[in-house]
Amino acid sequence: MKKSIKINCALIISMIWGMSVFAQTQEFDVKGLKVIYKAVPKQIVSARLFVQGGTANYPLEQSGIEDFAFRLAVTGGTTSMDKLTFSTALEQMGTTISAGTAYDYGQISMKCVKQNWDASWTLFVETILHPAFDEQQYQLLQDQLIAEAKQNESDPDESLIQAAMANVFAGKNYEKNPSGHAESLAQLSLEDLKKYYTQTVGKERSFLVIVGDLDVNALKKKIAASLSKLPKGTMPPVEDRNMLGEISNKIKDRDIATNYMAGIMSAPTLASEDGTAMMIAMSILSERYFVELRTKRSLSYAPYAYYDNGKVTNPFNLIYISTTDPKQSIQVMVDEISKLKKEGFSEKELKNKKQKYLTQFYMGQETLDSQSQSLGTNELKGGWEMAENFTERVNAVTLEDINRVIDKYSDIISWTYLGKADMVSEEDFLQPSKVPADAKVESTK
């Protein structure tokens, strides 16, 4: 069975590698709108309009406004087609148009089969340029979003992460929840959404990513006759990086059977020299947590650690656990980091992790949707080329690199706790041991 799995993985990688050989990614400008186009010989086309800024575009009291406005734009029809006619047209072609938002960007996306490209593109463009912002759909969507927000608040994992973001990034853009909360969503009027959409969706903040098998010259003509007519708009606000240099712990009392904890540490940007090494180092730490906390001590079902480079402006490292024994769990999690700061990782861990990372990466690139998403998010993080040279960047990481970054970015942990308040105190939120320079594992930088 193991041999079969290895063969299948190798086959998938080989197929995608083969695809990459023929794939050509290029960037061009169409009347002020940046376009990233990747040619892939498939019968599916994926298009995404990324809008930069995210939480930087609105104040705290309007948390969720971008998500609300974008979702209303793609679900309420257009000024020339009512909701039912619009959704029927999409359904008949098997085309999907959707929207999503994150801390640093929002996007409107479309996926269709190649034979329906022309008609699907027309609907995609109408959605972006002429959304109906229908009153009835606004009311329905507002009720739905408020219900989702209340559900998220009752979910311990969702509630913990939002509490951790509000704790560590208090006063910063990341304090805002891109999905909003019940109170902020209830205060957003239809006029607020129209105004926000009009002011935000412009060429200065936007770029288009398309992956498919299209004639480039014809594509440029289509864009020139449609999306290039977006208003110029303005550049998104830019916030300075927050390096999380001070400890900020928070206890949120909730009478639940299991206690939830998240520790947030500083991290480099993905495009920096430390970015790829940080990604690998945290992934190995996650595996060590699984062994130490679950397998050996049964302290948690699914502890983990990861480098959240999806937060473009302020990426961070996060360690997480849900447990009935928070004190012992914190001790083990911090001890493991202290051990790494002194002894470092092993060559075997690095070699195994590289292989797993590359396999997972290529398996995740099977669909054109995932490829357009990868190109767009990497463009935001420093350049779409990073998606194309992922293999080279991973293979270039050395043992010294991952030992250096785990030591460099793990001195300070800000803890957020959700659970029974009487089970922990401020003194329980431990920090990794400071290791004298001459006692640390050797580093080349």
Side-chain angles (χ1 to χ4, degrees), residues 88-122:
T88 301
L90 290 175
E91 189 175 344
Q92 288 175 339
M93 294 187 293
T95 299
T96 58
I97 294 179
S98 59
T101 52
Y103 282 84
D104 296 280
Y105 64 92
Q107 60 175 303
I108 296 176
S109 60
M110 183 270 287
K111 182 174 66 176
C112 68
V113 295
K114 185 181 176 183
Q115 68 182 50
N116 294 326
W117 160 246
D118 288 335
S120 298
W121 172 259
T122 299

PDB file of all heavy atoms in Angstrom, residues 88-122:
ATOM      1  N   THR A  88     -29.699  31.969 -12.744  1.00  0.00           N
ATOM      2  CA  THR A  88     -30.097  30.939 -13.712  1.00  0.00           C
ATOM      3  C   THR A  88     -29.094  30.851 -14.854  1.00  0.00           C
ATOM      4  O   THR A  88     -28.712  29.752 -15.304  1.00  0.00           O
ATOM      5  CB  THR A  88     -31.502  31.238 -14.272  1.00  0.00           C
ATOM      6  OG1 THR A  88     -32.437  31.274 -13.200  1.00  0.00           O
ATOM      7  CG2 THR A  88     -31.926  30.168 -15.269  1.00  0.00           C
ATOM      8  N   ALA A  89     -28.653  32.021 -15.318  1.00  0.00           N
ATOM      9  CA  ALA A  89     -27.670  32.049 -16.408  1.00  0.00           C
ATOM     10  C   ALA A  89     -26.372  31.362 -15.992  1.00  0.00           C
ATOM     11  O   ALA A  89     -25.773  30.597 -16.758  1.00  0.00           O
ATOM     12  CB  ALA A  89     -27.405  33.491 -16.819  1.00  0.00           C
ATOM     13  N   LEU A  90     -25.939  31.605 -14.758  1.00  0.00           N
ATOM     14  CA  LEU A  90     -24.724  30.956 -14.252  1.00  0.00           C
ATOM     15  C   LEU A  90     -24.915  29.445 -14.154  1.00  0.00           C
ATOM     16  O   LEU A  90     -24.048  28.662 -14.573  1.00  0.00           O
ATOM     17  CB  LEU A  90     -24.362  31.524 -12.875  1.00  0.00           C
ATOM     18  CG  LEU A  90     -23.861  32.958 -12.803  1.00  0.00           C
ATOM     19  CD1 LEU A  90     -23.679  33.384 -11.352  1.00  0.00           C
ATOM     20  CD2 LEU A  90     -22.539  33.120 -13.560  1.00  0.00           C
ATOM     21  N   GLU A  91     -26.053  29.060 -13.619  1.00  0.00           N
ATOM     22  CA  GLU A  91     -26.317  27.631 -13.405  1.00  0.00           C
ATOM     23  C   GLU A  91     -26.367  26.867 -14.719  1.00  0.00           C
ATOM     24  O   GLU A  91     -25.855  25.752 -14.816  1.00  0.00           O
ATOM     25  CB  GLU A  91     -27.636  27.471 -12.648  1.00  0.00           C
ATOM     26  CG  GLU A  91     -27.901  26.058 -12.186  1.00  0.00           C
ATOM     27  CD  GLU A  91     -29.147  25.964 -11.334  1.00  0.00           C
ATOM     28  OE1 GLU A  91     -29.618  27.005 -10.855  1.00  0.00           O
ATOM     29  OE2 GLU A  91     -29.645  24.843 -11.162  1.00  0.00           O
ATOM     30  N   GLN A  92     -26.957  27.460 -15.736  1.00  0.00           N
ATOM     31  CA  GLN A  92     -27.080  26.773 -17.027  1.00  0.00           C
ATOM     32  C   GLN A  92     -25.710  26.519 -17.664  1.00  0.00           C
ATOM     33  O   GLN A  92     -25.542  25.584 -18.446  1.00  0.00           O
ATOM     34  CB  GLN A  92     -27.950  27.602 -17.975  1.00  0.00           C
ATOM     35  CG  GLN A  92     -29.428  27.580 -17.599  1.00  0.00           C
ATOM     36  CD  GLN A  92     -30.271  28.496 -18.463  1.00  0.00           C
ATOM     37  OE1 GLN A  92     -29.756  29.434 -19.092  1.00  0.00           O
ATOM     38  NE2 GLN A  92     -31.565  28.236 -18.510  1.00  0.00           N
ATOM     39  N   MET A  93     -24.744  27.377 -17.343  1.00  0.00           N
ATOM     40  CA  MET A  93     -23.398  27.207 -17.918  1.00  0.00           C
ATOM     41  C   MET A  93     -22.461  26.439 -16.981  1.00  0.00           C
ATOM     42  O   MET A  93     -21.341  26.106 -17.367  1.00  0.00           O
ATOM     43  CB  MET A  93     -22.775  28.581 -18.212  1.00  0.00           C
ATOM     44  CG  MET A  93     -23.491  29.367 -19.293  1.00  0.00           C
ATOM     45  SD  MET A  93     -22.594  30.871 -19.719  1.00  0.00           S
ATOM     46  CE  MET A  93     -22.745  31.811 -18.215  1.00  0.00           C
ATOM     47  N   GLY A  94     -22.887  26.223 -15.749  1.00  0.00           N
ATOM     48  CA  GLY A  94     -21.987  25.593 -14.783  1.00  0.00           C
ATOM     49  C   GLY A  94     -20.904  26.544 -14.322  1.00  0.00           C
ATOM     50  O   GLY A  94     -19.838  26.129 -13.847  1.00  0.00           O
ATOM     51  N   THR A  95     -21.178  27.833 -14.429  1.00  0.00           N
ATOM     52  CA  THR A  95     -20.208  28.861 -14.026  1.00  0.00           C
ATOM     53  C   THR A  95     -20.470  29.292 -12.586  1.00  0.00           C
ATOM     54  O   THR A  95     -21.628  29.386 -12.168  1.00  0.00           O
ATOM     55  CB  THR A  95     -20.323  30.090 -14.940  1.00  0.00           C
ATOM     56  OG1 THR A  95     -20.026  29.693 -16.279  1.00  0.00           O
ATOM     57  CG2 THR A  95     -19.367  31.199 -14.518  1.00  0.00           C
ATOM     58  N   THR A  96     -19.407  29.551 -11.840  1.00  0.00           N
ATOM     59  CA  THR A  96     -19.558  30.049 -10.472  1.00  0.00           C
ATOM     60  C   THR A  96     -18.887  31.410 -10.338  1.00  0.00           C
ATOM     61  O   THR A  96     -17.787  31.621 -10.866  1.00  0.00           O
ATOM     62  CB  THR A  96     -18.947  29.086  -9.440  1.00  0.00           C
ATOM     63  OG1 THR A  96     -17.559  28.901  -9.738  1.00  0.00           O
ATOM     64  CG2 THR A  96     -19.655  27.732  -9.472  1.00  0.00           C
ATOM     65  N   ILE A  97     -19.549  32.322  -9.658  1.00  0.00           N
ATOM     66  CA  ILE A  97     -18.971  33.625  -9.315  1.00  0.00           C
ATOM     67  C   ILE A  97     -19.146  33.795  -7.812  1.00  0.00           C
ATOM     68  O   ILE A  97     -20.251  33.637  -7.283  1.00  0.00           O
ATOM     69  CB  ILE A  97     -19.673  34.774 -10.070  1.00  0.00           C
ATOM     70  CG1 ILE A  97     -19.408  34.652 -11.571  1.00  0.00           C
ATOM     71  CG2 ILE A  97     -19.172  36.131  -9.562  1.00  0.00           C
ATOM     72  CD1 ILE A  97     -20.079  35.730 -12.415  1.00  0.00           C
ATOM     73  N   SER A  98     -18.052  34.078  -7.116  1.00  0.00           N
ATOM     74  CA  SER A  98     -18.102  34.179  -5.659  1.00  0.00           C
ATOM     75  C   SER A  98     -17.190  35.296  -5.179  1.00  0.00           C
ATOM     76  O   SER A  98     -16.449  35.901  -5.969  1.00  0.00           O
ATOM     77  CB  SER A  98     -17.697  32.846  -5.023  1.00  0.00           C
ATOM     78  OG  SER A  98     -16.395  32.482  -5.431  1.00  0.00           O
ATOM     79  N   ALA A  99     -17.241  35.561  -3.888  1.00  0.00           N
ATOM     80  CA  ALA A  99     -16.409  36.614  -3.303  1.00  0.00           C
ATOM     81  C   ALA A  99     -15.854  36.145  -1.974  1.00  0.00           C
ATOM     82  O   ALA A  99     -16.445  35.282  -1.308  1.00  0.00           O
ATOM     83  CB  ALA A  99     -17.227  37.892  -3.115  1.00  0.00           C
ATOM     84  N   GLY A 100     -14.722  36.706  -1.588  1.00  0.00           N
ATOM     85  CA  GLY A 100     -14.129  36.380  -0.297  1.00  0.00           C
ATOM     86  C   GLY A 100     -13.271  37.529   0.173  1.00  0.00           C
ATOM     87  O   GLY A 100     -12.797  38.344  -0.632  1.00  0.00           O
ATOM     88  N   THR A 101     -13.072  37.629   1.477  1.00  0.00           N
ATOM     89  CA  THR A 101     -12.228  38.686   2.021  1.00  0.00           C
ATOM     90  C   THR A 101     -11.316  38.123   3.097  1.00  0.00           C
ATOM     91  O   THR A 101     -11.616  37.103   3.722  1.00  0.00           O
ATOM     92  CB  THR A 101     -13.076  39.820   2.641  1.00  0.00           C
ATOM     93  OG1 THR A 101     -13.998  39.254   3.566  1.00  0.00           O
ATOM     94  CG2 THR A 101     -13.844  40.572   1.571  1.00  0.00           C
ATOM     95  N   ALA A 102     -10.203  38.816   3.302  1.00  0.00           N
ATOM     96  CA  ALA A 102      -9.235  38.414   4.315  1.00  0.00           C
ATOM     97  C   ALA A 102      -8.717  39.680   4.996  1.00  0.00           C
ATOM     98  O   ALA A 102      -9.246  40.765   4.789  1.00  0.00           O
ATOM     99  CB  ALA A 102      -8.100  37.627   3.672  1.00  0.00           C
ATOM    100  N   TYR A 103      -7.684  39.530   5.795  1.00  0.00           N
ATOM    101  CA  TYR A 103      -7.183  40.689   6.546  1.00  0.00           C
ATOM    102  C   TYR A 103      -6.534  41.750   5.654  1.00  0.00           C
ATOM    103  O   TYR A 103      -6.531  42.922   5.996  1.00  0.00           O
ATOM    104  CB  TYR A 103      -6.180  40.230   7.605  1.00  0.00           C
ATOM    105  CG  TYR A 103      -6.843  39.631   8.819  1.00  0.00           C
ATOM    106  CD1 TYR A 103      -7.216  38.297   8.838  1.00  0.00           C
ATOM    107  CD2 TYR A 103      -7.132  40.405   9.930  1.00  0.00           C
ATOM    108  CE1 TYR A 103      -7.846  37.740   9.942  1.00  0.00           C
ATOM    109  CE2 TYR A 103      -7.755  39.871  11.042  1.00  0.00           C
ATOM    110  CZ  TYR A 103      -8.115  38.537  11.045  1.00  0.00           C
ATOM    111  OH  TYR A 103      -8.754  37.999  12.138  1.00  0.00           O
ATOM    112  N   ASP A 104      -5.982  41.326   4.504  1.00  0.00           N
ATOM    113  CA  ASP A 104      -5.242  42.271   3.671  1.00  0.00           C
ATOM    114  C   ASP A 104      -5.823  42.453   2.279  1.00  0.00           C
ATOM    115  O   ASP A 104      -5.290  43.247   1.506  1.00  0.00           O
ATOM    116  CB  ASP A 104      -3.784  41.811   3.536  1.00  0.00           C
ATOM    117  CG  ASP A 104      -3.065  41.812   4.866  1.00  0.00           C
ATOM    118  OD1 ASP A 104      -2.640  42.895   5.301  1.00  0.00           O
ATOM    119  OD2 ASP A 104      -2.953  40.740   5.478  1.00  0.00           O
ATOM    120  N   TYR A 105      -6.845  41.741   1.928  1.00  0.00           N
ATOM    121  CA  TYR A 105      -7.397  41.848   0.583  1.00  0.00           C
ATOM    122  C   TYR A 105      -8.789  41.235   0.510  1.00  0.00           C
ATOM    123  O   TYR A 105      -9.204  40.466   1.381  1.00  0.00           O
ATOM    124  CB  TYR A 105      -6.482  41.142  -0.430  1.00  0.00           C
ATOM    125  CG  TYR A 105      -6.371  39.657  -0.226  1.00  0.00           C
ATOM    126  CD1 TYR A 105      -7.228  38.772  -0.884  1.00  0.00           C
ATOM    127  CD2 TYR A 105      -5.433  39.120   0.646  1.00  0.00           C
ATOM    128  CE1 TYR A 105      -7.143  37.403  -0.681  1.00  0.00           C
ATOM    129  CE2 TYR A 105      -5.336  37.752   0.862  1.00  0.00           C
ATOM    130  CZ  TYR A 105      -6.184  36.903   0.199  1.00  0.00           C
ATOM    131  OH  TYR A 105      -6.114  35.550   0.407  1.00  0.00           O
ATOM    132  N   GLY A 106      -9.474  41.608  -0.562  1.00  0.00           N
ATOM    133  CA  GLY A 106     -10.732  40.954  -0.900  1.00  0.00           C
ATOM    134  C   GLY A 106     -10.650  40.520  -2.352  1.00  0.00           C
ATOM    135  O   GLY A 106      -9.751  40.941  -3.083  1.00  0.00           O
ATOM    136  N   GLN A 107     -11.557  39.670  -2.779  1.00  0.00           N
ATOM    137  CA  GLN A 107     -11.499  39.222  -4.159  1.00  0.00           C
ATOM    138  C   GLN A 107     -12.872  38.801  -4.659  1.00  0.00           C
ATOM    139  O   GLN A 107     -13.738  38.378  -3.882  1.00  0.00           O
ATOM    140  CB  GLN A 107     -10.533  38.048  -4.321  1.00  0.00           C
ATOM    141  CG  GLN A 107     -10.887  36.830  -3.495  1.00  0.00           C
ATOM    142  CD  GLN A 107      -9.959  35.654  -3.798  1.00  0.00           C
ATOM    143  OE1 GLN A 107      -9.843  35.222  -4.936  1.00  0.00           O
ATOM    144  NE2 GLN A 107      -9.288  35.159  -2.764  1.00  0.00           N
ATOM    145  N   ILE A 108     -13.060  38.960  -5.957  1.00  0.00           N
ATOM    146  CA  ILE A 108     -14.242  38.447  -6.644  1.00  0.00           C
ATOM    147  C   ILE A 108     -13.722  37.481  -7.701  1.00  0.00           C
ATOM    148  O   ILE A 108     -12.836  37.837  -8.494  1.00  0.00           O
ATOM    149  CB  ILE A 108     -15.060  39.577  -7.276  1.00  0.00           C
ATOM    150  CG1 ILE A 108     -15.615  40.498  -6.174  1.00  0.00           C
ATOM    151  CG2 ILE A 108     -16.206  39.014  -8.121  1.00  0.00           C
ATOM    152  CD1 ILE A 108     -16.354  41.705  -6.690  1.00  0.00           C
ATOM    153  N   SER A 109     -14.235  36.254  -7.706  1.00  0.00           N
ATOM    154  CA  SER A 109     -13.662  35.226  -8.567  1.00  0.00           C
ATOM    155  C   SER A 109     -14.721  34.565  -9.433  1.00  0.00           C
ATOM    156  O   SER A 109     -15.911  34.574  -9.104  1.00  0.00           O
ATOM    157  CB  SER A 109     -12.936  34.169  -7.722  1.00  0.00           C
ATOM    158  OG  SER A 109     -13.836  33.559  -6.818  1.00  0.00           O
ATOM    159  N   MET A 110     -14.256  33.974 -10.533  1.00  0.00           N
ATOM    160  CA  MET A 110     -15.149  33.292 -11.462  1.00  0.00           C
ATOM    161  C   MET A 110     -14.455  32.051 -11.998  1.00  0.00           C
ATOM    162  O   MET A 110     -13.262  32.068 -12.284  1.00  0.00           O
ATOM    163  CB  MET A 110     -15.518  34.228 -12.618  1.00  0.00           C
ATOM    164  CG  MET A 110     -16.516  33.649 -13.624  1.00  0.00           C
ATOM    165  SD  MET A 110     -15.729  32.780 -14.978  1.00  0.00           S
ATOM    166  CE  MET A 110     -15.055  34.166 -15.915  1.00  0.00           C
ATOM    167  N   LYS A 111     -15.191  30.968 -12.111  1.00  0.00           N
ATOM    168  CA  LYS A 111     -14.672  29.732 -12.702  1.00  0.00           C
ATOM    169  C   LYS A 111     -15.680  29.219 -13.723  1.00  0.00           C
ATOM    170  O   LYS A 111     -16.883  29.175 -13.437  1.00  0.00           O
ATOM    171  CB  LYS A 111     -14.429  28.682 -11.621  1.00  0.00           C
ATOM    172  CG  LYS A 111     -13.846  27.375 -12.145  1.00  0.00           C
ATOM    173  CD  LYS A 111     -13.479  26.425 -11.017  1.00  0.00           C
ATOM    174  CE  LYS A 111     -14.687  25.949 -10.274  1.00  0.00           C
ATOM    175  NZ  LYS A 111     -14.378  24.945  -9.231  1.00  0.00           N
ATOM    176  N   CYS A 112     -15.187  28.842 -14.899  1.00  0.00           N
ATOM    177  CA  CYS A 112     -16.097  28.362 -15.947  1.00  0.00           C
ATOM    178  C   CYS A 112     -15.377  27.357 -16.838  1.00  0.00           C
ATOM    179  O   CYS A 112     -14.154  27.239 -16.804  1.00  0.00           O
ATOM    180  CB  CYS A 112     -16.591  29.538 -16.802  1.00  0.00           C
ATOM    181  SG  CYS A 112     -15.302  30.309 -17.807  1.00  0.00           S
ATOM    182  N   VAL A 113     -16.154  26.632 -17.639  1.00  0.00           N
ATOM    183  CA  VAL A 113     -15.532  25.779 -18.653  1.00  0.00           C
ATOM    184  C   VAL A 113     -15.183  26.663 -19.855  1.00  0.00           C
ATOM    185  O   VAL A 113     -15.848  27.673 -20.119  1.00  0.00           O
ATOM    186  CB  VAL A 113     -16.461  24.625 -19.070  1.00  0.00           C
ATOM    187  CG1 VAL A 113     -16.693  23.688 -17.912  1.00  0.00           C
ATOM    188  CG2 VAL A 113     -17.777  25.153 -19.607  1.00  0.00           C
ATOM    189  N   LYS A 114     -14.159  26.264 -20.587  1.00  0.00           N
ATOM    190  CA  LYS A 114     -13.643  27.121 -21.654  1.00  0.00           C
ATOM    191  C   LYS A 114     -14.701  27.443 -22.709  1.00  0.00           C
ATOM    192  O   LYS A 114     -14.748  28.557 -23.241  1.00  0.00           O
ATOM    193  CB  LYS A 114     -12.434  26.438 -22.299  1.00  0.00           C
ATOM    194  CG  LYS A 114     -11.735  27.299 -23.338  1.00  0.00           C
ATOM    195  CD  LYS A 114     -10.576  26.572 -23.967  1.00  0.00           C
ATOM    196  CE  LYS A 114      -9.940  27.399 -25.081  1.00  0.00           C
ATOM    197  NZ  LYS A 114      -8.851  26.663 -25.763  1.00  0.00           N
ATOM    198  N   GLN A 115     -15.578  26.489 -23.008  1.00  0.00           N
ATOM    199  CA  GLN A 115     -16.564  26.717 -24.067  1.00  0.00           C
ATOM    200  C   GLN A 115     -17.566  27.811 -23.686  1.00  0.00           C
ATOM    201  O   GLN A 115     -18.203  28.407 -24.551  1.00  0.00           O
ATOM    202  CB  GLN A 115     -17.312  25.419 -24.397  1.00  0.00           C
ATOM    203  CG  GLN A 115     -18.219  24.925 -23.284  1.00  0.00           C
ATOM    204  CD  GLN A 115     -18.884  23.607 -23.648  1.00  0.00           C
ATOM    205  OE1 GLN A 115     -18.203  22.673 -24.074  1.00  0.00           O
ATOM    206  NE2 GLN A 115     -20.180  23.533 -23.488  1.00  0.00           N
ATOM    207  N   ASN A 116     -17.683  28.102 -22.381  1.00  0.00           N
ATOM    208  CA  ASN A 116     -18.590  29.166 -21.932  1.00  0.00           C
ATOM    209  C   ASN A 116     -17.839  30.419 -21.478  1.00  0.00           C
ATOM    210  O   ASN A 116     -18.389  31.257 -20.763  1.00  0.00           O
ATOM    211  CB  ASN A 116     -19.465  28.654 -20.785  1.00  0.00           C
ATOM    212  CG  ASN A 116     -20.411  27.569 -21.234  1.00  0.00           C
ATOM    213  OD1 ASN A 116     -20.894  27.580 -22.374  1.00  0.00           O
ATOM    214  ND2 ASN A 116     -20.681  26.608 -20.361  1.00  0.00           N
ATOM    215  N   TRP A 117     -16.590  30.528 -21.895  1.00  0.00           N
ATOM    216  CA  TRP A 117     -15.740  31.625 -21.439  1.00  0.00           C
ATOM    217  C   TRP A 117     -16.322  32.991 -21.795  1.00  0.00           C
ATOM    218  O   TRP A 117     -16.418  33.882 -20.950  1.00  0.00           O
ATOM    219  CB  TRP A 117     -14.342  31.463 -22.010  1.00  0.00           C
ATOM    220  CG  TRP A 117     -13.507  32.708 -22.035  1.00  0.00           C
ATOM    221  CD1 TRP A 117     -13.057  33.386 -23.124  1.00  0.00           C
ATOM    222  CD2 TRP A 117     -13.010  33.439 -20.890  1.00  0.00           C
ATOM    223  NE1 TRP A 117     -12.310  34.484 -22.753  1.00  0.00           N
ATOM    224  CE2 TRP A 117     -12.276  34.540 -21.388  1.00  0.00           C
ATOM    225  CE3 TRP A 117     -13.125  33.274 -19.514  1.00  0.00           C
ATOM    226  CZ2 TRP A 117     -11.660  35.471 -20.548  1.00  0.00           C
ATOM    227  CZ3 TRP A 117     -12.510  34.210 -18.673  1.00  0.00           C
ATOM    228  CH2 TRP A 117     -11.791  35.279 -19.200  1.00  0.00           C
ATOM    229  N   ASP A 118     -16.737  33.190 -23.013  1.00  0.00           N
ATOM    230  CA  ASP A 118     -17.206  34.513 -23.434  1.00  0.00           C
ATOM    231  C   ASP A 118     -18.424  34.969 -22.617  1.00  0.00           C
ATOM    232  O   ASP A 118     -18.455  36.093 -22.091  1.00  0.00           O
ATOM    233  CB  ASP A 118     -17.566  34.494 -24.928  1.00  0.00           C
ATOM    234  CG  ASP A 118     -16.332  34.413 -25.812  1.00  0.00           C
ATOM    235  OD1 ASP A 118     -15.250  34.829 -25.360  1.00  0.00           O
ATOM    236  OD2 ASP A 118     -16.449  33.918 -26.946  1.00  0.00           O
ATOM    237  N   ALA A 119     -19.421  34.092 -22.513  1.00  0.00           N
ATOM    238  CA  ALA A 119     -20.632  34.460 -21.777  1.00  0.00           C
ATOM    239  C   ALA A 119     -20.354  34.608 -20.279  1.00  0.00           C
ATOM    240  O   ALA A 119     -20.895  35.494 -19.611  1.00  0.00           O
ATOM    241  CB  ALA A 119     -21.719  33.408 -22.005  1.00  0.00           C
ATOM    242  N   SER A 120     -19.476  33.750 -19.759  1.00  0.00           N
ATOM    243  CA  SER A 120     -19.145  33.817 -18.330  1.00  0.00           C
ATOM    244  C   SER A 120     -18.382  35.095 -18.012  1.00  0.00           C
ATOM    245  O   SER A 120     -18.611  35.736 -16.975  1.00  0.00           O
ATOM    246  CB  SER A 120     -18.320  32.592 -17.927  1.00  0.00           C
ATOM    247  OG  SER A 120     -19.047  31.403 -18.129  1.00  0.00           O
ATOM    248  N   TRP A 121     -17.468  35.454 -18.898  1.00  0.00           N
ATOM    249  CA  TRP A 121     -16.700  36.693 -18.700  1.00  0.00           C
ATOM    250  C   TRP A 121     -17.641  37.895 -18.658  1.00  0.00           C
ATOM    251  O   TRP A 121     -17.476  38.804 -17.839  1.00  0.00           O
ATOM    252  CB  TRP A 121     -15.671  36.851 -19.815  1.00  0.00           C
ATOM    253  CG  TRP A 121     -14.965  38.180 -19.791  1.00  0.00           C
ATOM    254  CD1 TRP A 121     -15.208  39.273 -20.581  1.00  0.00           C
ATOM    255  CD2 TRP A 121     -13.894  38.584 -18.906  1.00  0.00           C
ATOM    256  NE1 TRP A 121     -14.383  40.311 -20.255  1.00  0.00           N
ATOM    257  CE2 TRP A 121     -13.559  39.910 -19.236  1.00  0.00           C
ATOM    258  CE3 TRP A 121     -13.206  37.935 -17.887  1.00  0.00           C
ATOM    259  CZ2 TRP A 121     -12.555  40.613 -18.577  1.00  0.00           C
ATOM    260  CZ3 TRP A 121     -12.205  38.645 -17.219  1.00  0.00           C
ATOM    261  CH2 TRP A 121     -11.889  39.956 -17.572  1.00  0.00           C
ATOM    262  N   THR A 122     -18.640  37.907 -19.523  1.00  0.00           N
ATOM    263  CA  THR A 122     -19.596  39.011 -19.547  1.00  0.00           C
ATOM    264  C   THR A 122     -20.319  39.146 -18.200  1.00  0.00           C
ATOM    265  O   THR A 122     -20.460  40.252 -17.664  1.00  0.00           O
ATOM    266  CB  THR A 122     -20.637  38.786 -20.667  1.00  0.00           C
ATOM    267  OG1 THR A 122     -19.956  38.748 -21.935  1.00  0.00           O
ATOM    268  CG2 THR A 122     -21.664  39.914 -20.691  1.00  0.00           C
TER     269      THR A 122
END
